[in-house]
């Protein structure tokens, strides 16, 4: 691509959110959709470093509603999208201490209502230990259990979405960096890229940690701060095998402030604390031994076998975080600019629902209303920060 070309829409960012929105815009009837990714699809940003957790449980009802809309797509990926997203049903467990049991019950009730076809309940630690003998539940007062929870492969998910989008006319421009969004007389006219200009009346920014800088020159202030994120993997025989003494769920543990999950039958993944000091012009620095050791020390309180498990690999990358740790979704600035940024480490599981809803409101020109009469994307609008309407957890925990 060396000269000006034209499109109906340009998607800036080839992670799972960008790939999903491109797919749904094409389904909605846009014939020429181009995805610009500065590296390779699902390789540089948060998608490839995501833990891939699939869960209903959140501390705000608006998040729970979106996950409830997304989970059936992951469960039926081959029929709905095609290909394989790597979904594995391990069960999801949310662990809390005594001071957060009441909040756990509130959030579990919201999740149960949002996905009525699946059993979602609060169980005691003894029950959880029977289900998942690889857990040491000392200090845990209650567990929210979702049998349908689990994980999927984020990179495979994004690649599968791009393949499905390509089949209906979407094209991708890998190795193409969007330098700036173009506008004239209050309307988007396209983008200037490292490989030339693309004229388009619609530009959707889905570029994660890089998203805010793409809109800054238009006077669109997006409070998305880049953070370095990390994921580590160890060999742990039986972690994902039913009936094993090491069987483990996909899990968020509020008592230690971490998350983890099995991978296949004999691998175990866990998060490494994110850091705010980053330079987007440089590649993310690899995780240090001290960072990994600190994460192992925290997770081993809950999964003792991790202490002696050999390290298989680590990943580090960037994601964009907002002040309330919720995404920015919706139109902003000149006509034709749409944002889907700042997912703050939680975007993967929301991608199917966010993409479908965003594509519908872009193509139909109005917000999508849920079954209970609520505008599903309204809480995430970019204007909430200037208006002081940040999203506040209804039943908060210590760490999520």
């Amino acid at each position: 691509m060396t000269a000006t070309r034209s499109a109906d829409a340009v998607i800036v960012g080839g992670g799972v959110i960008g790939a999903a929105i491109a797919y749904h815009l094409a389904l909605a009837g846009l014939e020429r959709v181009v995805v610009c990714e500065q590296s390779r699809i699902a390789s540089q940003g948060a998608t490839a470093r995501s833990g891939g957790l699939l869960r209903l449980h959140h501390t705000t009802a608006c998040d729970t509603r979106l996950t409830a809309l997304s989970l059936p797509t992951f469960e039926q990926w081959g029929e709905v999208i095609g290909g394989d997203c790597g979904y594995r049903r391990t069960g999801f467990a949310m662990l809390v201490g005594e001071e957060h049991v009441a909040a756990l019950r509130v959030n579990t009730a919201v999740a149960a209502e949002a996905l009525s076809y699946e059993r979602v309940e609060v169980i005691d630690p003894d029950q959880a230990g029977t289900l998942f003998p690889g857990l040491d539940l000392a200090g845990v007062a209650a567990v929210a259990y979702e049998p349908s929870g689990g994980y999927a492969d984020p990179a495979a998910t994004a690649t599968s979405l791009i393949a499905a989008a390509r089949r209906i006319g979407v094209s991708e421009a890998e190795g193409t960096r969007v330098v700036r969004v173009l506008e004239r007389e209050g309307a988007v006219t396209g983008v200037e890229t490292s490989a030339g200009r693309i004229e388009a009346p619609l530009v959707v920014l889905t570029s994660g940690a890089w998203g805010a800088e793409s809109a800054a020159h238009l006077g669109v202030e997006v409070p998305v701060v880049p953070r370095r994120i990390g994921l580590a993997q160890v060999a742990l025989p039986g972690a994902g095998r039913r009936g094993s003494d090491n069987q483990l769920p996909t899990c968020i543990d509020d008592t230690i402030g971490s998350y983890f999950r099995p991978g296949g039958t004999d691998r175990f993944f866990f998060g490494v604390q994110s850091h705010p000091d980053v330079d987007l012009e440089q590649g993310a620095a690899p995780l240090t031994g001290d960072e990994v050791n600190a994460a192992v020390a925290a997770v081993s309180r809950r999964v003792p076998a991790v202490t002696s498990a050999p390290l298989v690999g680590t990943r580090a990358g960037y994601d964009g975080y907002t002040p309330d740790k919720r995404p920015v979704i919706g139109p902003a600035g000149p006509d034709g600019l749409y944002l889907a940024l700042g997912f703050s480490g939680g975007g993967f599981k929301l991608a199917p629902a966010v993409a479908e809803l965003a594509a519908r409101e872009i193509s139909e020109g109005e917000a999508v209303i849920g079954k209970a009469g609520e505008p599903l994307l309204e809480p995430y609008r970019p204007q909430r920060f200037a208006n002081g309407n940040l999203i506040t957890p209804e039943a908060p925990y210590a760490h999520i």
Side-chain angles (χ1 to χ4, degrees), residues 198-253:
I198 306 177
E199 295 178 347
L202 171 65
V203 173
V204 184
L205 299 183
T206 67
S207 44
W210 292 265
E213 65 181 22
S214 301
H217 68 281
L218 297 174
V220 177
E221 295 186 9
V222 184
V224 174
V225 177
R227 295 181 70 96
R228 176 169 164 269
I229 58 175
L231 187 69
Q233 176 188 177
V234 298
L236 188 58
R241 187 182 305 124
R242 292 187 183 277
S244 164
D245 289 343
N246 281 335
Q247 183 181 347
L248 294 164
T250 296
C251 183
I252 294 178
D253 185 348

Side-chain angles (χ1 to χ4, degrees), residues 276-302:
D277 297 327
V278 303
D279 181 357
L280 291 178
E281 295 303 317
Q282 302 293 324
L287 299 180
T288 66
D290 287 345
E291 289 172 325
V292 175
N293 289 339
V296 168
V299 172
S300 63
R301 290 171 51 194
R302 196 61 62 220

Side-chain angles (χ1 to χ4, degrees), residues 93-108:
M94 177 75 205
L95 314 182
V96 300
E98 187 64 44
E99 68 275 24
H100 292 112
V101 171
L104 186 81
R105 295 189 183 281
V106 170
N107 294 325
T108 302

Side-chain angles (χ1 to χ4, degrees), residues 50 64 80 82 87 91 97 128 145 210 243 278-279 288 300 312 319 341 352 364 385-386 398:
S50 169
T64 303
V80 176
Y87 169 65
Y145 176 51
W210 292 265
V278 303
D279 181 357
T288 66
S300 63
V312 174
D319 198 2
L341 302 166
E364 297 171 9
F385 301 102

Side-chain angles (χ1 to χ4, degrees), residues 8-380:
D8 292 325
V10 175
I11 313 298
V12 184
V16 68
I17 299 293
I21 289 178
Y23 171 73
H24 279 283
L25 283 175
L27 282 183
L30 273 68
E31 297 181 355
R32 298 173 301 163
V33 178
V34 179
V35 178
C36 291
E37 167 53 49
Q38 60 185 334
S39 181
R40 292 178 291 110
I41 297 297
S43 68
Q44 182 168 334
T47 295
R49 282 83 180 175
S50 169
L53 278 63
L54 300 178
R55 58 183 168 100
L56 296 171
H57 202 98
H58 282 79
T59 57
T60 58
C62 57
D63 289 345
T64 303
R65 284 191 288 266
L66 292 186
T67 57
L69 291 172
S70 287
L71 184 59
T73 299
F74 285 109
E75 292 176 315
Q76 305 166 46
W77 194 268
E79 295 76 22
V80 176
I81 305 295
D84 184 7
C85 70
Y87 169 65
R88 298 294 182 270
R89 180 179 171 132
T90 64
F92 170 78
M94 177 75 205
L95 314 182
V96 300
E98 187 64 44
E99 68 275 24
H100 292 112
V101 171
L104 186 81
R105 295 189 183 281
V106 170
N107 294 325
T108 302
V110 174
E113 182 178 0
L115 195 67
S116 57
Y117 69 79
E118 182 57 74
R119 179 168 56 92
V120 179
E121 59 184 340
V122 176
I123 61 177
D124 63 44
D126 288 342
Q127 291 174 286
T130 300
L131 289 169
F132 303 107
L135 292 175
D136 179 344
L137 292 160
V140 174
V143 179
Y145 176 51
E146 302 173 16
S148 62
Y151 68 90
D153 182 325
T157 299
T159 302
S160 176
L161 281 164
I162 281 292
R166 192 184 301 121
R167 291 193 292 269
I168 54 177
V170 172
S171 60
E172 66 266 29
E174 293 185 322
T176 301
R177 181 174 183 177
V178 171
V179 179
R180 62 194 180 104
V181 179
L182 305 174
E183 64 94 19
R184 184 173 58 246
E185 297 179 354
V188 163
T189 60
V191 294
E192 189 73 44
T193 82
S194 56
R197 179 175 296 189
I198 306 177
E199 295 178 347
L202 171 65
V203 173
V204 184
L205 299 183
T206 67
S207 44
W210 292 265
E213 65 181 22
S214 301
H217 68 281
L218 297 174
V220 177
E221 295 186 9
V222 184
V224 174
V225 177
R227 295 181 70 96
R228 176 169 164 269
I229 58 175
L231 187 69
Q233 176 188 177
V234 298
L236 188 58
R241 187 182 305 124
R242 292 187 183 277
S244 164
D245 289 343
N246 281 335
Q247 183 181 347
L248 294 164
T250 296
C251 183
I252 294 178
D253 185 348
D254 189 57
T255 70
I256 64 173
S258 190
Y259 70 87
F260 52 82
R261 68 164 174 85
T265 57
D266 301 319
R267 292 289 186 267
F268 180 74
F269 291 84
F270 54 95
V272 179
Q273 187 173 1
S274 62
H275 295 276
D277 297 327
V278 303
D279 181 357
L280 291 178
E281 295 303 317
Q282 302 293 324
L287 299 180
T288 66
D290 287 345
E291 289 172 325
V292 175
N293 289 339
V296 168
V299 172
S300 63
R301 290 171 51 194
R302 196 61 62 220
V303 185
V306 170
T307 304
S308 57
L311 184 68
V312 174
T314 64
R315 307 173 194 167
Y318 297 136
D319 198 2
Y321 281 69
T322 66
D324 59 11
K325 296 184 179 179
R326 265 67 183 185
V328 178
I329 307 170
D335 290 343
L337 181 66
Y338 194 95
L339 310 181
L341 302 166
F343 284 85
S344 307
F348 174 68
K349 62 188 173 299
L350 303 178
V354 166
E356 182 176 358
L357 295 171
R360 283 180 58 187
E361 71 175 21
I362 287 170
S363 60
E364 297 171 9
E366 57 185 20
V368 181
I369 305 300
K371 292 180 179 179
E374 73 283 359
L376 292 168
L377 293 181
E378 194 63 30
Y380 307 100

